Amino acid sequence: MTTSATKEALFSPDCLEFLAKLASNNERDWFKAHQAEYEAKVRTPALNFIGAMAPHIQQLSPRLTAVPKKVGGSLMRPQRDARFSSDKTPYKVNVGIQFRHFQGKDVHAPGLYLHIANDGCFLGAGIWHPDSKALSQIRSCIDDNPNAYKQALKQLSAAGFAMEGDSLQRPPKGYDKHHPMLDELKRKDFIAIKPLDTQQLFAKDFDTWCAEQFNQVNKLMGYLCFALDLDY
């Protein structure tokens, strides 16, 4: 049995150090030459974190997945999709880990998220860039059931999370400009964010700490899943 005294940290400064070097050498040949370093400093620690989080995630909701696979699991791939971007660099300079709802097929599914980067690390929860159908369902739910949504916002705010993301400039179609929940209805992302510092990231109990933080956004996750007719 691993005790807190003998337990090793899941992430180390080596992870951010590699991401910094990648940012300065964002080319396929460089990455290929440093593949072993990426595996040791970034991917293996990330997969170990996902494995450590699996029982915590299962306890939060059996509908969320924690899959420690190199491809097709909770760890997002390092390659960028640059097809529609003016930035043609091939690799992300961050680590993204998503514990998404099992019925979701991509990053737009409801889920919990860890972002590691030199320009800022954070935890996230909710749904990012939902499609028009999902957006309509969430807005209708807020319109019909505002009190449960307000309770979710109160819980996450007390834990240091804040709702972020894109919003419409004008009221969404079908909603009055004087609607009491207008600011929430205008959202295009329903994602709660909590910044974290490297001291937390490199702590030996980082997985336990993450689970405690994610527990404070369970009402938001439950609400969004209810709005989308998903079990939670």
Side-chain angles (χ1 to χ4, degrees), residues 66-83:
V67 183
K69 290 170 56 179
K70 288 186 176 182
V71 179
S74 300
L75 177 63
M76 295 181 178
R77 61 202 298 264
Q79 292 82 6
R80 293 181 64 249
D81 182 354
R83 290 174 299 170

Side-chain angles (χ1 to χ4, degrees), residues 78-148:
Q79 292 82 6
R80 293 181 64 249
D81 182 354
R83 290 174 299 170
F84 308 108
S85 173
S86 58
D87 178 3
K88 297 301 181 182
T89 52
Y91 299 103
K92 301 170 187 172
V93 292
N94 67 269
V95 177
I97 295 170
Q98 186 189 33
F99 305 111
R100 72 174 65 114
H101 196 282
F102 81 101
Q103 289 175 281
K105 296 179 180 179
D106 56 28
V107 295
H108 306 292
L112 305 171
Y113 179 71
L114 168 65
H115 184 91
I116 300 173
N118 280 290
D119 61 356
C121 302
F122 62 84
L123 299 180
I127 184 167
W128 178 73
H129 287 10
D131 61 27
S132 57
K133 179 183 177 183
L135 259 181
S136 178
Q137 288 177 279
I138 295 169
R139 287 170 177 159
S140 294
C141 195
I142 292 174
D143 187 35
D144 294 338
N145 304 279
N147 290 335

